[in-house]
């Protein structure tokens, strides 16, 4: 059975976005992304317009998946933090709430130490929000459900 | 796992092209990329070796249109077909919503097809999926070549579940969109069923 869909409602999006906006400011970073482990972009803030967010999301998910595989090979659980240093920009990737990936891009206006510190703090808040979201999903709390409204005609029409 | 984003009003699903090395998975994606309007596609990401063999995956996001005000987006991935990249194939299968199994129709690739199909079943199993209830279709590629196995024969060996099957020649695009549409439909029907 394919797993049931990962659903994010507007309130949840806003709650998560507020947290990463705060992180963006406090870490002096350029931009912050929240990506689910399957590579879907959940939210993005900061100077994001020159970055292809969809590629970024799928590659960070691939990166986390690959290092997760590596961890298993050497008998570790997971590398929950990855850091890549560039000439101009650096990228800090971490897993929060086991389900979501937090990506922070920063340059020399900030530092790895500061980013680490702020990410740690933000992760606590994000974990709470994500756990809430996941338990809401598990309970299957009846809210609006677009999937129920899809008709066979809708599906047919997609291809015309 | 599909991702329903009520804030961005999007339905996102993940399709994986699976099959033996050199069967034409990357070629399928390249054709789709070439023929899709700029506003309906994102960048194609290719992680390949110097010799253009897929090393980790290819990735192409496409938008198909709207359903009830929601944008329907599909993320297309290919796996590396070469046998020794099995660890990567497992990773790509995570969260898959639908599969296109691409077989190489050439006589001398039959063993490779069967081996890849069994490998797919095994890897799905490991993730708690089961071919009997995951949407998938089969594409018999390279029909343009002279030494191909008849479709009836291919069906007997590879299409045990009687899923939709398509003849294709991915390098000129024959059958490429037909295959994709078919699995997209199956995925959406499955989503609706689970709602
Ligand atoms: N004659 C013919 N050649 C094809 C067809 N489709 C693909 N090819 C060729 O087959 C070769 C391999 O194609 P790829 O798409 O790279 O194969 P792949 O399945 O992605 O291979 P891996 O990445 O190693 O798993 C290329 O040279 C293609 O041009 C087809 O329909 N007919
Ligand atoms: Mg390839």
């Amino acid at each position: 059975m394919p797993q049931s869909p990962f659903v994010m409602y507007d309130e949840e999006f806003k709650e998560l976005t507020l947290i990463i906006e705060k992180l963006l400011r406090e870490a002096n970073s350029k931009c912050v992304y929240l990506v689910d482990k399957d590579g879907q972009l959940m939210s993005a803030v900061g100077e994001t317009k020159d970055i292809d967010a969809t590629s970024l999301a799928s590659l960070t998910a691939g990166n986390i998946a690959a290092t997760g595989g590596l961890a298993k090979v050497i008998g570790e659980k997971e590398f929950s933090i990855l850091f890549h240093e560039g000439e101009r920009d650096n990228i800090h990737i971490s897993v929060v709430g086991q389900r979501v990936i937090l990506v922070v891009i920063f340059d020399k206006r900030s530092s790895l130490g500061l980013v680490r510190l702020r990410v740690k703090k933000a992760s606590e808040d994000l974990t709470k929000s994500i756990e809430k979201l996941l338990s809401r999903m598990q309970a299957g709390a009846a809210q609006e459900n677009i999937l129920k409204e899809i008709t066979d005609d809708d599906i047919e029409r997609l291809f015309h | 796992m599909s991702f329903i984003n009520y804030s961005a009003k999007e339905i996102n699903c993940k399709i994986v092209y699976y099959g033996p090395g050199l069967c034409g998975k990357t070629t399928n994606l390249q054709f789709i990329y070439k023929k899709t309007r700029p506003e309906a596609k994102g960048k194609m990401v290719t992680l390949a070796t110097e010799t253009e063999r897929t090393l980790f995956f290819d990735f192409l996001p496409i938008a198909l249109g709207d359903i009830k005000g929601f944008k329907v987006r599909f993320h297309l991935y290919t796996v590396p077909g070469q046998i020794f990249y099995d660890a990567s194939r497992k990773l790509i299968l995570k969260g898959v919503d639908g599969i296109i199994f691409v077989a190489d129709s050439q006589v001398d690739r039959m063993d490779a097809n069967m081996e890849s199909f069994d490998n797919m079943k095994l890897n799905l199993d490991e993730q708690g999926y089961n071919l009997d209830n995951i949407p998938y279709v089969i594409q018999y590629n390279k029909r343009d070549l002279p030494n191909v196995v008849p479709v009836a024969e291919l069906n007997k060996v590879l299409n045990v579940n009687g899923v939709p099957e398509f003849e294709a020649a991915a390098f000129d695009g024959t059958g490429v969109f037909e295959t994709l549409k078919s699995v997209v439909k199956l995925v959406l029907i499955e989503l609706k069923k689970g709602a």
Side-chain angles (χ1 to χ4, degrees), chain A residues 145-159, chain B residues 11 66-69 72 184-193 195:
Chain A
N145 188 341
I146 172 71
L147 300 178
K148 273 200 184 120
E149 295 169 26
I150 297 179
T151 64
D152 294 346
D153 274 356
D154 289 331
I155 297 175
E156 266 325 302
R157 253 201 309 269
L158 267 187
F159 298 106
Chain B
I11 298 172
D66 286 35
I67 287 185
K68 304 260 186 292
V72 180
V184 162
K185 262 188 211 174
L186 292 182
V187 167
L188 292 172
I189 290 168
E190 187 70 29
L191 259 185
K192 177 173 130 78
K193 229 168 45 185

Side-chain angles (χ1 to χ4, degrees), chain A residues 1-10 13-14 36 38-42 52 54-55 58-59 62-63 65-66 69 99 137 144-152 154-159, chain B residues 1-7 11-13 43 45 47 56-57 59 61 64-68 70 72 75 77 91 94-96 128-130 133-135 181 184-185 188-192 195:
Chain A
M1 199 39 212
Q3 299 123 322
S4 48
F6 187 69
V7 177
M8 180 173 69
Y9 287 105
D10 196 40
F13 167 79
K14 286 188 176 128
D36 101 301
D38 293 338
Q40 310 276 6
L41 180 70
M42 297 174 70
D52 181 32
T54 316
S55 301
S58 102
L59 285 168
N63 202 343
R99 188 70 189 80
M137 259 168 54
E144 55 174 327
N145 188 341
I146 172 71
L147 300 178
K148 273 200 184 120
E149 295 169 26
I150 297 179
T151 64
D152 294 346
D154 289 331
I155 297 175
E156 266 325 302
R157 253 201 309 269
L158 267 187
F159 298 106
Chain B
M1 181 188 302
S2 52
F3 175 47
I4 321 292
N5 185 339
Y6 281 85
S7 184
I11 298 172
N12 295 278
C13 301
K43 285 213 174 77
V45 174
L47 304 177
F56 192 7
F57 59 78
F59 167 70
L64 288 177
D66 286 35
I67 287 185
K68 304 260 186 292
F70 277 65
V72 180
H75 287 183
Y77 285 84
L91 298 177
K94 276 194 193 161
V96 66
Y129 293 112
N130 185 331
N133 43 30
I134 192 158
K181 279 178 193 175
V184 162
K185 262 188 211 174
L188 292 172
I189 290 168
E190 187 70 29
L191 259 185
K192 177 173 130 78

Side-chain angles (χ1 to χ4, degrees), chain B residues 56-109:
Chain B
F56 192 7
F57 59 78
D58 300 300
F59 167 70
L60 174 63
I62 55 167
L64 288 177
D66 286 35
I67 287 185
K68 304 260 186 292
F70 277 65
K71 282 176 233 120
V72 180
R73 291 172 183 278
F74 273 75
H75 287 183
L76 312 181
Y77 285 84
T78 73
V79 299
Q82 295 183 83
I83 292 171
F84 53 88
Y85 289 136
D86 200 39
S88 304
R89 278 194 293 279
K90 289 182 212 249
L91 298 177
I92 313 299
L93 274 182
K94 276 194 193 161
V96 66
D97 295 302
I99 299 174
I100 294 174
F101 183 83
V102 182
D104 191 324
S105 300
Q106 297 176 89
V107 174
D108 58 1
R109 294 302 284 163

